[in-house]
Amino acid sequence: MFKKKFLKAVSAFTCAAMVFSGSVLSFAVADQTDSAPDNPDTDRILMDITTDSETDVPQDAETAVSDNLPETDTANPENTETDEETDSGQEEIPTQETGFEKYSDVGSHWAKEALNKAYNDGIIKGFEDNTMRPDDKITGAQMITIITRVLNTSAKADTSDISFPQDCWYTEEAAEALALGIIEKSDIAALNGKMVRKEACTMMSDAFQLENADPDMSKASQYKDFNSLTLSEKIIFASLVNNGYLQGWDGSLHLSNDITRAEFITLLYRAAGEYTEADQIKDYSALSAPTVLSAEDFSLRGETISENIWLDAGVKTVALNSVKAKSITVRSEILNSIKVKSSEIERLVLASRAGNVNFDCIGIGTTVVGDGEGSAYLSPAGNDIEITGDGRNVTLDQRAGSVSVSGNNNTVTLNSAADAEKVNVYGINNIIKIDSDVAKLNVDGRNNKISGRGRAETAVIGTATSSIEINVGELVDNVDYGIKDMIAAVNVPAKAEVGREFQATADLGKTAVGKTVTAEWTVDGKTVKTEQITLTENTKPVLNYSFAYSQNMPEKSNIGFVIKYTTKDGEYQTVSAPAVSMSIDKASAAYFEAVVAKVQTKYKGNFTTQWAIDHDLTNAEKEIFVNYKGYASSSQYLIWVNIGTQHTSVFQGSKGSWKLIRSGLVSTGAGDCTPRGVFKTTYKQTDWTTGSYTVKPIVRFYGGGYAMHSRLYYPNTTTLKGGNNGVGYPLSHGCVRMQADDIQWIYNNVPNGTTVVVY
């Protein structure tokens, strides 16, 4: 079921040679069961794939990039280790594949099935070196191009006053996205930049109108970074979490993380798993995935629709007679008419860019007025109304259940017959005219005006910036005044020794008990610790910190502390403690030289894991070593493989000020065959697989096939092989074997070009 527009020879664009062409979306979410056992997250849509690729997406997205590519695309390149159980003792070269199977970096990827179907449908194409690079970051320009083609947009906003790069490939797509309302003019300049999870999810929510105006916040509020969002952002992300579009890990949604191509594709298909011409559907009850439908005149009678559907930008008239459906979203550019008769529809979303709406809501559980510019005149007949769009003019002339407004700058009128059980106002700058009776009025959004001849039995106001000018029986003040009255002070020792941890504390006065705040510590203006804290009367934030050695380090340092909080109605507040200066005892050069002298370049242990554990350096000693030696890196990370203690340590910072952030046991080359020196990571692969073993993922650091990777698994599994597969003593054929969570972290977070010290 293909749409003609997507079969045309469109000007395809590449994501650093990964081509996203506008083809059909015809697969459901992948069964993501290939994750290694050390990482329990098997449902990883927008979860923990944050890998930096070897190249950034180029400014000219129509030019393929192949810099820093491997010299060979075989699964077991030259000089990589082979397993003792290989019968011939020789390398096993995989059979040359065609189609999706030829791509070397997708065989064990968590989104393999989704990527495979996307490839077969023409959504993505791979690199000339037979890689798919699903973990490369995606840009805003690439996202809007996919979305506008999926929704079949043609209307274009005026962009004559916007400066685009010369011969910009996404000029038309930006104009269409602007007309669709998924970006603002101010966003266009940054479209070539990488997208983060927060931006991508917001764009997807706008494109597919996924927002519920009054969502349950309890599930999303379990994520610590959710509480730092504004009220309007909370509504969006609570809707995404509740409906299964978004999940977090480690207690956070990680909204500032970059989003990869694989993640975006999976998110896209969770919203719409199929894309087809409406007249190709013979049995709507047989739909197996949420579906985007294309039709100019959409008319159904007596149908039961089993999945959520979207009517794309081309639809102009909608007629539903005796239809049962879960959710129907009208995303047209110009809606001439919509008629609903004798139907049972749980949720109907009206999000046409133009066209007035006037119809009876009988049989519709919730009618949503989403993005668009036309007016809506609705007869709720006791059912619920949501206004999630901005700048809409909505009039209700009959009794409603609940009326919830999460959009901004709307004018909503409840005529004298439009009594309501609840009216919830969460958006900003809305004018709500109530000439009827309302059982309960909630006003949590900022700068709203509630006026009219009506009456609210109970009014709960949660913001000091909105006004209620109707008759109220009981007024409840639920304003979140935040942390404005708090004070904070920092306590530090008189002197701190380099390499030895000291403790700083913060005293809080007039604590806003029960509020969850973001507490941030700084050292010389640089943030060193951020945490979410729920305030009590006795809250005393703590910073444990040690100064890393550098030859030209200062003798004093300033320690700062700040609390950040966003009120329920979206006001951002901060309380800062005055920075406190403390002295640093740098110690003598002999002290640091003694630490460096402890580092052995040869393994002298008894070939047990316990020996490596017992003989590891302290964290402070590891920092002193790399800083005293003066190692530098082109990224914010530095990796040190200590052959003497069989440990790998990862540092973050820069030359002379590296801080240890991760350390783990490894196995280097048996017979002392791992090369020593200062190298750089060159490129990444998801796995090497032969007939006798699999290792994954792979991070190369030295020519000739030397890499950091996992221990040996049985082929195409994540089950560790027996025999020579320990950790903490030399065992490999030259590569650095790591425990699964350590190599996965490096693969996900450390970019190519990062310095690797093997010493």
Side-chain angles (χ1 to χ4, degrees):
M1 293 180 285
F2 295 87
K3 192 172 190 309
K4 292 180 180 179
K5 177 180 178 180
F6 288 80
L7 293 176
K8 293 180 181 178
V10 296
S11 176
F13 67 93
T14 58
C15 306
M18 171 176 269
V19 179
F20 289 77
S21 62
S23 184
V24 297
L25 313 183
S26 59
F27 64 82
V29 181
D31 180 15
Q32 301 159 3
T33 57
D34 287 335
S35 299
D38 300 85
N39 189 340
D41 298 321
T42 57
D43 187 41
R44 296 171 61 185
I45 170 62
L46 288 181
M47 295 182 73
D48 61 340
I49 304 299
T50 57
T51 313
D52 279 321
S53 63
E54 60 274 25
T55 58
D56 286 338
V57 178
Q59 290 296 311
D60 181 0
E62 294 183 344
T63 302
V65 175
S66 57
D67 296 339
N68 300 322
L69 296 180
E71 298 175 358
T72 175
D73 283 325
T74 60
N76 192 11
E78 183 180 2
N79 291 336
T80 59
E81 53 187 306
T82 57
D83 187 79
E84 289 78 5
E85 298 180 16
T86 304
D87 293 337
S88 65
Q90 301 296 318
E91 297 175 333
E92 298 185 41
I93 307 300
T95 303
Q96 182 66 33
E97 301 283 358
T98 60
F100 182 78
E101 292 76 13
K102 71 183 179 183
Y103 296 107
S104 61
D105 56 352
V106 294
S108 60
H109 196 275
W110 63 269
K112 175 182 177 181
E113 292 185 23
L115 293 166
N116 189 2
K117 292 178 181 179
Y119 175 79
N120 291 333
D121 287 338
I123 298 297
I124 56 175
K125 296 180 182 178
F127 290 84
E128 292 181 358
D129 69 318
N130 291 340
T131 61
M132 187 69 71
R133 304 191 190 180
D135 296 327
D136 279 7
K137 308 303 185 265
I138 191 168
T139 70
Q142 294 155 3
M143 284 182 59
I144 64 169
T145 301
I146 297 174
I147 290 172
T148 54
R149 289 177 178 172
V150 165
L151 293 176
N152 190 28
T153 59
S154 60
K156 297 177 177 62
D158 181 7
T159 58
S160 59
D161 59 340
I162 301 174
S163 176
F164 285 89
Q166 187 175 6
D167 299 324
C168 179
W169 61 268
Y170 56 86
T171 302
E172 288 192 5
E173 287 78 5
E176 292 179 3
L178 190 59
L180 188 63
I182 62 174
I183 62 171
E184 302 290 338
K185 285 188 176 182
S186 57
D187 299 326
I188 291 179
L191 284 176
N192 247 337
K194 297 176 182 178
M195 297 290 284
V196 298
R197 291 159 58 93
K198 183 177 178 180
E199 297 167 338
C201 290
T202 300
M203 185 181 292
M204 283 295 296
S205 178
D206 288 343
F208 289 92
Q209 298 292 284
L210 304 177
E211 178 180 332
N212 302 110
D214 187 23
D216 180 0
M217 300 281 190
S218 60
K219 187 174 182 180
S221 65
Q222 297 176 22
Y223 297 110
K224 56 189 178 184
D225 51 349
F226 177 82
N227 295 311
S228 64
L229 298 173
T230 65
L231 177 59
S232 59
E233 291 170 341
K234 286 180 177 179
I235 289 173
I236 292 172
F237 285 94
S239 300
L240 294 174
V241 169
N242 292 345
N243 292 310
Y245 296 111
L246 176 65
Q247 294 177 343
W249 75 97
D250 292 340
S252 176
L253 291 171
H254 300 274
L255 297 176
S256 61
N257 286 16
D258 293 333
I259 179 171
T260 67
R261 298 163 185 167
E263 291 171 340
F264 174 69
I265 290 169
T266 309
L267 176 64
L268 178 71
Y269 297 153
R270 282 199 167 177
E274 190 171 335
Y275 186 84
T276 185
E277 301 277 1
D279 59 11
Q280 297 295 312
I281 304 294
K282 304 305 180 185
D283 182 3
Y284 280 87
S285 66
L287 289 178
S288 59
T291 303
V292 177
L293 298 173
S294 180
E296 185 170 331
D297 299 303
F298 185 75
S299 180
L300 285 185
R301 177 186 291 270
E303 292 278 3
T304 297
I305 305 176
S306 57
E307 291 284 348
N308 298 342
I309 65 170
W310 286 261
L311 304 180
D312 73 13
V315 70
K316 293 183 178 179
T317 65
V318 179
L320 306 173
N321 193 334
S322 302
V323 171
K324 292 184 178 181
K326 293 175 59 179
S327 176
I328 299 175
T329 301
V330 181
R331 206 66 179 95
S332 65
E333 291 175 341
I334 300 177
L335 183 62
N336 293 330
S337 69
I338 179 169
K339 298 178 181 179
V340 181
K341 182 179 179 181
S342 303
S343 295
E344 297 178 22
I345 302 172
E346 294 180 22
R347 187 175 182 85
L348 176 63
V349 184
L350 306 172
S352 56
R353 294 308 302 168
N356 297 329
V357 174
N358 186 340
F359 78 104
D360 198 323
C361 302
I362 294 175
I364 302 172
T366 301
T367 301
V368 183
V369 181
D371 285 345
E373 298 176 358
S375 298
Y377 193 93
L378 307 176
S379 301
N383 299 319
D384 296 336
I385 302 294
E386 295 183 1
I387 296 97
T388 60
D390 297 336
R392 305 303 301 264
N393 192 325
V394 181
T395 301
L396 310 181
D397 71 351
Q398 289 188 26
R399 180 177 58 86
S402 65
V403 180
S404 298
V405 183
S406 61
N408 306 322
N409 302 304
N410 297 289
T411 298
V412 182
T413 302
L414 279 67
N415 286 339
S416 58
D419 296 342
E421 292 297 319
K422 290 191 300 183
V423 173
N424 304 308
V425 186
Y426 303 124
I428 300 172
N429 295 326
N430 294 287
I431 297 174
I432 313 296
K433 299 178 180 179
I434 300 177
D435 290 331
S436 57
D437 291 334
V438 173
K440 186 173 183 179
L441 170 65
N442 296 306
V443 183
D444 285 334
R446 296 174 59 79
N447 301 325
N448 295 289
K449 181 178 180 180
I450 318 298
S451 63
R453 300 186 300 273
R455 182 181 189 276
E457 293 181 17
T458 302
V460 180
I461 187 160
T463 173
T465 63
S466 291
S467 63
I468 299 177
E469 300 174 4
I470 64 172
N471 185 16
V472 174
E474 178 186 5
L475 180 63
V476 179
D477 185 350
N478 194 28
V479 175
D480 179 3
Y481 294 100
I483 58 173
K484 288 182 177 179
D485 293 334
M486 288 184 61
I487 57 175
V490 171
N491 305 302
V492 298
K495 181 178 289 187
E497 297 182 37
V498 169
R500 297 188 180 180
E501 192 172 82
F502 71 89
Q503 186 176 91
T505 60
D507 291 331
L508 303 179
K510 298 183 179 180
T511 303
V513 174
K515 299 191 184 302
T516 299
V517 300
T518 299
E520 185 177 286
W521 288 93
T522 61
V523 176
D524 296 324
K526 182 180 179 180
T527 301
V528 296
K529 181 181 180 181
T530 301
E531 62 179 335
Q532 300 289 319
I533 298 175
T534 300
L535 298 174
T536 67
E537 292 182 356
N538 301 313
T539 297
K540 197 176 187 71
V542 173
L543 170 68
N544 294 310
Y545 188 81
S546 61
F547 290 103
Y549 172 81
S550 66
Q551 294 181 344
N552 299 313
M553 65 187 305
E555 296 182 353
K556 289 184 178 294
S557 181
N558 293 316
I559 312 300
F561 177 78
V562 61
I563 287 180
K564 301 177 180 181
Y565 179 73
T566 302
T567 64
K568 186 171 61 174
D569 63 351
E571 181 185 358
Y572 180 71
Q573 300 176 347
T574 62
V575 173
S576 299
V580 175
S581 178
M582 66 183 302
S583 299
I584 304 173
D585 185 355
K586 295 192 292 185
S588 65
Y591 168 75
F592 300 108
E593 291 169 358
V595 172
V596 172
K598 295 176 66 174
V599 179
Q600 301 295 313
T601 61
K602 289 185 177 293
Y603 178 75
K604 298 181 179 180
N606 62 3
F607 290 86
T608 65
T609 301
Q610 191 59 49
W611 188 92
I613 295 173
D614 294 340
H615 290 80
D616 190 22
L617 299 173
T618 67
N619 293 348
E621 289 172 337
K622 293 175 183 179
E623 291 179 356
I624 288 172
F625 174 78
V626 295
N627 286 308
Y628 191 78
K629 296 287 284 185
Y631 295 121
S633 179
S634 61
S635 79
Q636 63 175 322
Y637 298 107
L638 173 77
I639 300 173
W640 173 29
V641 179
N642 186 341
I643 292 179
T645 66
Q646 294 290 290
H647 276 80
T648 290
S649 300
V650 181
F651 304 85
Q652 188 172 22
S654 59
K655 180 179 178 180
S657 58
W658 296 111
K659 292 289 295 182
L660 181 70
I661 60 172
R662 192 176 185 94
S663 186
L665 292 166
V666 300
S667 289
T668 59
D672 203 25
C673 61
T674 297
R676 291 170 174 77
V678 179
F679 313 109
K680 291 183 181 295
T681 57
T682 54
Y683 73 95
K684 303 174 183 180
Q685 289 179 239
T686 54
D687 69 281
W688 289 335
T689 297
T690 74
S692 56
Y693 72 87
T694 288
V695 290
K696 59 182 179 180
I698 316 296
V699 179
R700 291 245 193 160
F701 66 88
Y702 183 69
Y706 292 96
M708 296 172 282
H709 58 66
S710 70
R711 291 183 285 169
L712 308 186
Y713 301 120
Y714 286 105
N716 297 308
T717 74
T718 54
T719 302
L720 287 171
K721 300 190 68 171
N724 287 336
N725 212 4
V727 67
Y729 48 91
L731 182 63
S732 76
H733 292 155
C735 288
V736 180
R737 296 183 187 176
M738 296 184 177
Q739 298 179 95
D741 56 346
D742 291 327
I743 183 59
Q744 189 68 56
W745 190 94
I746 291 175
Y747 179 87
N748 287 349
N749 294 280
V750 176
N752 287 326
T754 295
T755 296
V756 178
V757 177
V758 183
Y759 190 95

